Amino acid sequence: DDDPGVRRLRIRSVPVMGTRHDIEAVARSLDVKTMLLAVPSASGEDVRDIVARADAAGVRTLIMPSVVEMYGRSPSLADIRPFTEGDLLGRRELQTDLTSVTGYLAGRRVLVTGAGGSIGAELCRQIIRIAPRKLLLLDIAEYALYAIDQELSAIVRDEGLDTRVVPLLGSACDRARVESILRRFDVQTVYHAAAYKHVPLVEHNVFEGVRNNVLGTQVVAESAARLGVERCILVSTDKAVRPTSVMGATKRLAELILQDLATRRTETIFSMVRFGNVLGSSGSVVPLFRRQIEAGGPVTVTHPDITRFFMTIPEAALLVIQAGSMAKGGEVFVLDMGSPVKIVDLARRMIELSGLEVRGEQNPDGDIEILFTGLRPGEKLYEELLIGRDVEAPTTPRSCAPTRSSSTP
């Protein structure tokens, strides 16, 4: 423990051996092979330092699950796992009080669009344990919808929940289908996560990007307002801030649609949640790096100076749920995501986490090369989370809690 006050104390007869600076000495003297790290409040920098010290001592590091990861289920030994890139964020992991959201979701009728996607599916996993009366899943991808329906149905069965899960095939762009669902199930809350998000693909398919991200949002939001839905929450992105890509521009237009409706409609509360790249989501850089490392490299990075904000999938879902409970109408909620992470540093750390070495001029005998390929069309060197300076103070000082910005046009 890094607290010097507990040195030489005993916990159930087990002595506290020292701080992180003693890891190598303790590992050598006691022939330690494995270390468990249980410091959920540690920053990414602290975690990297501790893991580096363990690596230097030839000690394998495993991590204990955080409160966010364990929310809604009982812990087990199977939850102790090797380190992943998600444990190396440059900030503390988001911690939030979920008791504040149960009132507007428990026993309610909730629709998630894009329910088969990475964020949509995680939203459903978190919402189901708050026990809504009905959880409606809308997605145009048949297998993705089938997979999340099967997963949620198993949770309902195993945990004895009263929630009814309803899988609904269809497009968020289909006004008749959307209005039919809202009317038939008397939906009270909508989470709109359906969108195309891969920058290069949308850059090459402009019309479909606009149709899905802009017109789809307009259909869902206007339908929610027309049929008296209580809350409509849009999942947005940091790429909507001063966009340089078609995808970013479509998400900014989607935000403006909700902000416009918020000024004209008072019966429906509209809000938006904006965050950075989500580790492990479909199309993100992390699965790509993992596949490239497994194939023996090279790992491709567009530019040596490119940076991104990162968060985990559970963090993203929890932020969206919490922001929905806080919304008054027209806000853009933003996670205080700390410092951006250099993509080349993430690539290097993932290679090291795989037990390999980076090959380069200083280490020509390394295992995996990092290859710089150049920025793609519409891609920024860095992302921003805020457009203007009209920002309210963080809801929880000095923590990763949502902040709220009016972000007016």
Side-chain angles (χ1 to χ4, degrees), residues 119-153:
I119 301 301
E122 184 61 27
L123 270 172
C124 293
R125 296 184 191 103
Q126 302 292 347
I127 292 169
I128 196 74
R129 292 187 166 95
I130 303 175
R133 181 179 176 185
K134 289 188 180 73
L135 180 54
L136 314 171
L137 320 174
L138 178 64
D139 206 294
I140 199 169
E142 181 185 23
Y143 181 76
L145 183 63
Y146 166 80
I148 189 61
D149 175 45
Q150 291 293 301
E151 182 179 344
L152 297 176
S153 297

Side-chain angles (χ1 to χ4, degrees), residues 30-49:
L30 298 179
D31 194 26
V32 174
K33 301 298 183 186
T34 302
M35 178 179 74
L36 300 183
L37 181 60
V39 193
S41 62
S43 67
E45 183 178 354
D46 287 338
V47 170
R48 285 189 288 269
D49 180 57

Side-chain angles (χ1 to χ4, degrees), residues 20-195:
R20 74 176 72 177
H21 302 287
D22 302 300
I23 288 175
E24 293 183 61
V26 171
R28 284 195 300 269
S29 65
L30 298 179
D31 194 26
V32 174
K33 301 298 183 186
T34 302
M35 178 179 74
L36 300 183
L37 181 60
V39 193
S41 62
S43 67
E45 183 178 354
D46 287 338
V47 170
R48 285 189 288 269
D49 180 57
I50 294 170
V51 174
R53 292 175 185 275
D55 287 345
V59 175
R60 180 190 184 209
T61 306
L62 300 177
I63 189 169
M64 302 286 287
S66 68
V67 174
V68 170
E69 292 173 309
M70 294 311 305
Y71 170 67
R73 59 190 178 90
S74 300
S76 71
L77 288 174
D79 293 309
I80 299 175
R81 55 177 174 76
F83 256 78
T84 68
E85 54 281 347
D87 303 308
L88 300 171
L89 295 172
R91 55 177 173 79
R92 289 180 173 84
E93 190 175 33
L94 167 66
Q95 303 292 330
T96 186
D97 178 15
L98 288 170
T99 60
S100 64
V101 306
T102 57
Y104 93 103
L105 288 179
R108 314 284 277 179
R109 297 173 295 277
V110 181
L111 168 67
V112 178
T113 71
S118 303
I119 301 301
E122 184 61 27
L123 270 172
C124 293
R125 296 184 191 103
Q126 302 292 347
I127 292 169
I128 196 74
R129 292 187 166 95
I130 303 175
R133 181 179 176 185
K134 289 188 180 73
L135 180 54
L136 314 171
L137 320 174
L138 178 64
D139 206 294
I140 199 169
E142 181 185 23
Y143 181 76
L145 183 63
Y146 166 80
I148 189 61
D149 175 45
Q150 291 293 301
E151 182 179 344
L152 297 176
S153 297
I155 293 173
V156 169
R157 180 182 63 250
D158 296 343
E159 300 185 14
L161 303 177
D162 292 329
T163 300
R164 179 187 172 195
V165 178
V166 184
L168 300 161
L169 272 172
S171 169
C173 299
D174 186 341
R175 189 179 296 270
R177 177 63 166 156
V178 171
E179 292 193 357
S180 172
I181 291 169
L182 296 179
R183 186 181 296 108
R184 175 184 174 189
F185 295 98
D186 194 16
V187 173
Q188 294 164 295
T189 299
V190 173
Y191 292 99
H192 182 47

